[in-house]
Amino acid sequence: MIVYQFCSSINEANLYLLVEEDSKDALIIDMPEWCEGLDSAIRESNAKVKAIFITHSHYDHTSGLNYLPKSYDSLQKYPSKHFFENENSDNFLLLGRYEGKIISVPGHTDDSVVLFFPSAGILFTGDALFAGSVGGTVGEREYKKQQKAIKEKLLVLPEDTIIFPGHGPVSSVGIEKKYNPFLI
Amino acid sequence: MTEIISVKYIVREPRMRMRLLSEYLLPDMIHLLSSGDLEGANLEGINLTGVWLKGINLKRANLRGACLQFAILSEANLEDANLEEANLSRSNFIGANLSRANMRKANLYYSRFTNANLQSVNLQYANLQRAILRCADLSGADIRYANGEPIVDRTKMDGLVR
């Protein structure tokens, strides 16, 4: 799997392009803004972009959806609205030979989701979990909900799982379990 | 359109030591870094953008002017390392040991030093804007002429030289 990380000018939000090396099937994760760099990466890797995955509905992760090039207008969007109606439905997506599991991690927003590729050992956390921090919440109730979701759904994943967050540098589940001051 | 900074990772199979490889690395360098022990190595000016170096031993290494943007150096040993004028922006030094490192004129913009040991580091003229120093130990560090507002929270700052 090839992962391109773009750090946008909108709140330094990260945009990711994932390319499965065999099929060239590709997925974009979050869309703070479209950029020439993304075009180049798609061309360079011969990527066939199949879908866009949005980790949560904040503007710094979605603004670019309003300015997609025409050829990307009809791309499938994940997660589907059915996911939020029933978490047991539509909770995975396929990218070439990899299966990605969509996991709800509410707290930062009610619609916060992460995408986990078990066989690649990579996890895209949006603003649910950062290197050394967690996404802000509007109140104590949401903070507790976030803590519970992170501990029960993310920190139980293999420690060498690489975390690609919505802002900032890459980390791993093991590092966050050991050092994240919001979780220990 | 605003310029966007980007990094390309090649994710190898899980449970390999170095699963994130920057496209900038030559095969010889990948082999060298995979050893995990570069104590005292001269890596002046090297480009290690986005490379996974968790737990690596870089004690007393010379990384003067190196580019470590987006690199992952959590739990690395950088004791007495020379990071003068290095670009450490947006990198991950969580739980790393940087005691007595020379970080004069280094760029720490938006990098993470949560729970890192930064005792007696030289941060003169460094860019500390948005550097996250939460729970880090900055005791005895020299931050004279440093600029920018770092994020400090439960940060130890005994004997800080301002």
Side-chain angles (χ1 to χ4, degrees), chain B residues 20-73:
Chain B
L20 292 185
L21 302 172
S22 162
E23 63 178 330
Y24 311 106
L25 286 181
L26 298 170
D28 284 356
M29 185 52 67
I30 292 170
H31 179 71
L32 187 63
L33 293 171
S34 299
S35 73
D37 190 356
L38 286 167
E39 184 168 335
N42 183 9
L43 301 167
E44 184 167 343
I46 192 172
N47 186 350
L48 294 174
T49 301
V51 178
W52 182 268
L53 296 170
K54 178 179 178 286
I56 197 167
N57 182 15
L58 287 161
K59 188 175 177 178
R60 289 194 300 274
N62 179 17
L63 288 152
R64 188 176 187 280
C67 184
L68 292 161
Q69 274 195 309
F70 284 104
I72 299 90
L73 287 128

Side-chain angles (χ1 to χ4, degrees), chain A residues 1-7 9 12 33-35 44 119 131-132 160 162 167-170 175 178-179 181, chain B residues 1-2 4-9 11 14-15 19 54 70 72 74-75 90 92 94 109-110 112 114-115:
Chain A
M1 187 90 86
I2 305 285
V3 182
Y4 292 86
Q5 180 183 27
F6 298 90
C7 178
S9 61
E12 306 235 5
E33 60 182 321
W34 191 268
C35 60
E44 173 196 299
S119 58
D160 58 358
I162 299 170
H167 298 265
V170 170
I175 294 168
K178 194 169 173 186
Y179 295 109
Chain B
M1 182 64 70
T2 316
I4 294 190
I5 297 160
S6 66
V7 187
K8 177 182 172 185
Y9 299 107
V11 183
R15 279 163 281 284
R19 292 183 304 168
K54 178 179 178 286
F70 284 104
I72 299 90
S74 48
E75 294 186 327
R90 302 176 179 84
N92 179 345
I94 294 174
Y109 176 77
Y110 208 34
R112 316 269 164 142
T114 309
N115 278 303

Side-chain angles (χ1 to χ4, degrees), chain A residues 119-168:
Chain A
S119 58
I122 55 179
L123 172 68
F124 295 85
T125 57
D127 287 4
L129 178 60
F130 304 129
S133 188
V134 294
T137 54
V138 293
E140 188 64 24
R141 191 174 66 88
E142 288 75 13
Y143 182 68
K144 283 182 180 161
K145 196 195 287 187
Q146 180 188 49
Q147 289 276 308
K148 182 173 161 51
I150 292 173
K151 287 177 180 172
E152 291 180 358
K153 296 178 180 180
L154 305 187
L155 298 191
V156 295
L157 300 177
E159 294 204 349
D160 58 358
T161 302
I162 299 170
I163 293 171
F164 290 90
H167 298 265

Side-chain angles (χ1 to χ4, degrees), chain B residues 50-143:
Chain B
V51 178
W52 182 268
L53 296 170
K54 178 179 178 286
I56 197 167
N57 182 15
L58 287 161
K59 188 175 177 178
R60 289 194 300 274
N62 179 17
L63 288 152
R64 188 176 187 280
C67 184
L68 292 161
Q69 274 195 309
F70 284 104
I72 299 90
L73 287 128
S74 48
E75 294 186 327
N77 183 4
L78 289 135
E79 201 178 334
D80 293 304
N82 183 9
L83 291 155
E84 186 168 357
E85 296 186 18
N87 185 356
L88 314 179
S89 67
R90 302 176 179 84
S91 52
N92 179 345
F93 285 86
I94 294 174
N97 179 8
L98 290 132
S99 57
R100 295 183 303 280
N102 177 14
M103 300 167 84
R104 192 172 182 273
K105 293 187 178 177
N107 180 9
L108 279 64
Y109 176 77
Y110 208 34
S111 48
R112 316 269 164 142
F113 290 89
T114 309
N115 278 303
N117 179 355
L118 292 154
Q119 287 180 36
S120 303
V121 293
N122 180 357
L123 284 164
Q124 287 182 21
Y125 298 97
N127 176 11
L128 302 179
Q129 182 65 21
R130 295 182 72 187
I132 298 176
L133 302 170
R134 190 173 277 124
C135 305
D137 187 350
L138 266 172
S139 306
D142 185 346
I143 60 164

Side-chain angles (χ1 to χ4, degrees), chain A residues 100-132:
Chain A
K101 190 172 188 309
I102 304 169
I103 304 168
S104 171
V105 185
H108 178 63
T109 61
D110 280 345
D111 65 355
S112 288
V113 289
V114 304
L115 182 59
F116 176 47
F117 289 92
S119 58
I122 55 179
L123 172 68
F124 295 85
T125 57
D127 287 4
L129 178 60
F130 304 129

